[in-house]
Amino acid sequence: MLVLHNRSFLPGSPQQRMMVWLGILLLCLIIVACAVLYLILYKACPTCSLGEIAVSAWESLLKEKGMVFTLVATPVLLVFFLILAHGSRNRERLILTETGIEFRSALPGPLNFLHRDWSLQWLEVRRAWIEPMFKFAGGQFTSLFFETGNKRRRILLYPWVDTRHYHPRTLRKEKAYINALQKQQGPEYEALTTESAVVRYIAEHVRGVEIEPEPTGSTGFALEKNPWTLGVVVLFFLLVAFTMIDGFVLIGETYVTRPIYEVFAFGGLMAAIVSTRLLRARSVPSLESTVLSILLGVGISCALYPGALRLNQWTDNSGLHVHTYQSQGRGRFTPLDESLPELHFDDYPEYWRQFGVGEHQGFELRRGGLGFYQLNMAPIYDAIVEH
């Protein structure tokens, strides 16, 4: 049995040293940003105490929901990557035996929702070959592919090393080694494809599995022949068409307040995760599953922008109502009814300059079942064209 480790997380490896330096740089940038923010706020109020400055900064941040989301999401992502790195060092393994191969992912059980752990018996392998992970990938992404009757597995050759024989290089030498692999030729690349720990173990201990150095036929996954991948592709283009047609042509209404972009992004992320899990469960290769799921997630995130407007319109029982607003100049209008939101128009300033401060103007608004206001822009666009 041979247990291989991912070199990126081994103590003293160039990758780990680089991550340490990046962490130090990030910490320095955070400290500098906090210092600059403090100086800006202190200059605005020299007599304020540190507590008052902190409260003022927090109140200003609360007005920018996107910034609050970023400040909350950033440490959460950092903690997740720290857990991933710790799990990679302690759990991620590639185990080779004379009967089969087993991959243990970095994520512990409760977090391993993508089911990345897998195993394969050598008797199942019908074909094994070496080639880059995707068409334009460099040599460091050269992979060993295993194909069975109903699934395909892939192993990157570069990351996996035997700790008994692994000697970390300096950052400079590691960069030169990566550059040599990038060319997909020369002694470094030849050694990677013939003398890597995975290839050498299979050649010496596994019978019945012959590794082809180059693919003998087409190894591309036919998206159109799999109903699940075909469905994802069709759904992606439908979402794009809906976003373009309904978002820019048909619907004449827009958001009054800032759209909830965080919800749109979260919806796309969850769709991508679910899609990845479904496609991987149906034997779609990892690369194709990931790319298709990302496209689907982006498509759903974009489609949610006009989709929320349309759903808010469909769930509205009272329809559009004209509300009176008072001009504050420069395209800013405040409602006479304090329960309504303010209106800000940044486009076409030459049109909005005709409304003097204090002048009244009517706007058509609706509040649908989703609870937010949206503005009918059709009469406004007609007035702008006429102007």
Side-chain angles (χ1 to χ4, degrees), residues 120-128 145-148 208-209:
L120 192 68
Q121 298 296 312
W122 298 125
L123 294 176
E124 300 178 68
V125 178
R126 296 185 178 181
R127 181 175 172 229
F145 290 85
F146 298 106
E147 189 174 272
T148 65
V209 176

Side-chain angles (χ1 to χ4, degrees), residues 117-238:
D117 294 0
W118 57 268
S119 61
L120 192 68
Q121 298 296 312
W122 298 125
L123 294 176
E124 300 178 68
V125 178
R126 296 185 178 181
R127 181 175 172 229
W129 71 95
I130 294 176
E131 68 172 352
M133 184 171 63
F134 49 92
K135 185 176 181 180
F136 300 105
Q140 69 272 29
F141 295 103
T142 297
S143 304
L144 174 59
F145 290 85
F146 298 106
E147 189 174 272
T148 65
N150 56 2
K151 59 185 175 182
R152 179 184 297 177
R153 298 298 185 187
R154 171 182 53 82
I155 301 171
L156 282 171
L157 296 180
Y158 166 74
W160 298 106
V161 295
D162 186 348
T163 54
R164 298 172 300 177
H165 309 294
Y166 174 65
H167 301 288
R169 304 181 182 90
T170 63
L171 285 173
R172 180 176 298 180
K173 290 184 178 180
E174 189 72 14
K175 183 179 179 180
Y177 177 64
I178 294 294
N179 290 337
L181 293 180
Q182 183 76 19
K183 302 174 183 177
Q184 298 188 30
Q185 58 186 357
E188 293 86 356
Y189 183 74
E190 189 71 22
L192 177 69
T193 57
T194 59
E195 297 297 328
S196 70
V198 180
V199 175
R200 189 170 59 250
Y201 183 89
I202 294 175
E204 295 176 356
H205 299 89
V206 179
R207 296 181 178 179
V209 176
E210 296 293 334
I211 300 176
E212 304 170 11
E214 297 293 339
T216 58
S218 176
T219 60
F221 184 83
L223 299 179
E224 71 280 2
K225 294 183 179 180
N226 185 294
W228 288 89
T229 55
L230 179 60
V232 171
V233 172
V234 171
L235 179 58
F236 169 74
F237 283 106
L238 288 176

Side-chain angles (χ1 to χ4, degrees), residues 7-163:
R7 72 170 76 206
S8 300
F9 302 98
L10 291 177
S13 67
Q15 291 83 359
Q16 189 181 66
R17 292 199 297 270
M18 182 178 293
M19 291 302 297
V20 171
W21 281 111
L22 288 176
I24 294 175
L25 177 61
L26 178 61
L27 181 61
C28 292
L29 290 176
I30 293 174
I31 294 174
V32 171
C34 292
V36 171
L37 178 62
Y38 174 77
L39 290 175
I40 293 173
L41 294 175
Y42 177 77
K43 186 177 181 180
C45 184
T47 59
C48 296
S49 64
L50 181 61
E52 292 173 334
I53 292 177
V55 171
S56 176
W58 178 250
E59 290 176 349
S60 299
L61 284 175
L62 289 179
K63 298 178 181 178
E64 298 291 338
K65 295 181 181 180
M67 183 63 68
V68 174
F69 176 79
T70 302
L71 292 176
V72 173
T74 300
V76 171
L77 289 175
L78 287 176
V79 170
F80 175 77
F81 284 119
L82 287 175
I83 293 174
L84 182 63
H86 184 268
S88 297
R89 178 185 298 178
N90 294 280
R91 188 175 185 274
E92 190 172 51
R93 299 288 186 271
L94 186 65
I95 303 173
L96 302 170
T97 65
E98 295 184 2
T99 59
I101 182 172
E102 178 184 357
F103 171 72
R104 296 178 184 175
S105 67
L107 295 175
L111 296 179
N112 193 15
F113 50 84
L114 294 179
H115 296 297
R116 295 184 60 226
D117 294 0
W118 57 268
S119 61
L120 192 68
Q121 298 296 312
W122 298 125
L123 294 176
E124 300 178 68
V125 178
R126 296 185 178 181
R127 181 175 172 229
W129 71 95
I130 294 176
E131 68 172 352
M133 184 171 63
F134 49 92
K135 185 176 181 180
F136 300 105
Q140 69 272 29
F141 295 103
T142 297
S143 304
L144 174 59
F145 290 85
F146 298 106
E147 189 174 272
T148 65
N150 56 2
K151 59 185 175 182
R152 179 184 297 177
R153 298 298 185 187
R154 171 182 53 82
I155 301 171
L156 282 171
L157 296 180
Y158 166 74
W160 298 106
V161 295
D162 186 348
T163 54

